[in-house]
Amino acid sequence: ASDDRTARLWDARVRGDVATLEHEYQVTAVSYSADGKTVYAGGIDNGITAWDVRQKRKVMTMKGHTDTITYLSLSPDGNHLLSNSMDGTVRSWDIRPFVEGNRRHIRTFHGGTHNAEKGLLNCSWSADGTMVSAGSADRAVHIWDVPTGEELYYLPGHAGCVNSVVFHPTENVVASGSSDKSIYVGELAQ
């Protein structure tokens, strides 16, 4: 992702980029598909573009956000993509190949915020794919239920913007990093 309006594919074996995917606007977030054949890129145009890596061509665009996309996260099963945006929403998208058009947008999660700092706040999936979380400028961790969109946890405590939240890969635990220079680790109720 880059201000030069490109997403670049890198190969450490050749110590350089092996492909450049050109966009109209700056790119702020990227994610690979589970099979490595598609790259998803989001940016200041508020959309998510899917690129076929082998053919280096756009294969799909997903629209719905009304401000810059700050992060993209692939679900554990590889069938869904999560996006965080400066419009204050987190959205889940169905990226399976047989889904078409407006049916790609599954759910919008409300509660997290962005502020004038316009940070690139992340979002993440729990290991089993039943919960999602996102960074938020309101100094709290927000965790939602994927099937219903209900906010399950609102975890205040940071003194600054929460930039990153991740779920433990096997335990019911989250870690959050903040602009207040702290990392909190907490166990969620069963």
Side-chain angles (χ1 to χ4, degrees):
S2 174
D3 276 343
D4 70 2
R5 301 182 337 237
T6 65
R8 294 178 185 258
L9 306 179
W10 300 89
D11 186 338
R13 298 170 296 183
V14 297
R15 298 178 187 230
D17 63 299
V18 293
T20 301
L21 309 174
E22 300 207 13
H23 292 255
E24 284 186 55
Y25 300 97
Q26 289 87 346
V27 179
T28 53
V30 293
S31 181
Y32 260 111
S33 63
D35 63 8
K37 295 178 182 176
T38 307
V39 166
Y40 300 93
I44 68 168
D45 64 349
N46 313 336
I48 301 167
T49 303
W51 290 83
D52 181 310
V53 173
R54 296 164 295 177
Q55 298 178 14
K56 296 172 187 64
R57 68 176 182 87
K58 296 178 185 180
V59 293
M60 159 178 58
T61 301
M62 295 174 280
K63 295 280 188 184
H65 285 294
T66 58
D67 205 342
T68 301
I69 294 168
T70 65
Y71 203 85
L72 298 172
S73 179
L74 186 69
S75 66
D77 66 7
N79 291 326
H80 300 90
L81 190 69
L82 193 63
S83 57
N84 194 353
S85 170
M86 289 183 188
D87 65 11
T89 66
V90 176
R91 293 175 183 251
S92 61
W93 308 87
D94 192 331
I95 56 173
R96 294 175 291 181
F98 58 83
V99 177
E100 295 181 5
N102 294 337
R103 297 183 322 188
R104 290 204 176 276
H105 176 249
I106 299 170
R107 185 160 326 290
T108 301
F109 304 95
H110 297 276
T113 62
H114 283 258
N115 61 13
E117 292 175 10
K118 298 289 188 182
L120 298 179
L121 309 182
N122 93 331
C123 54
S124 64
W125 296 84
S126 62
D128 62 3
T130 62
M131 294 183 289
V132 295
S133 185
S136 182
D138 65 0
R139 305 176 187 175
V141 172
H142 297 266
I143 300 174
W144 297 273
D145 180 58
V146 170
T148 67
E150 175 188 359
E151 188 169 23
L152 299 174
Y153 300 95
Y154 172 82
L155 307 171
H158 281 289
C161 178
V162 177
N163 300 309
S164 183
V165 182
V166 294
F167 289 90
H168 189 279
T170 59
E171 302 295 329
N172 208 21
V173 173
V174 294
S176 58
S178 169
S179 295
D180 67 9
K181 302 177 187 172
S182 68
I183 299 171
Y184 289 173
V185 179
E187 185 173 6
L188 302 174
Q190 295 291 347

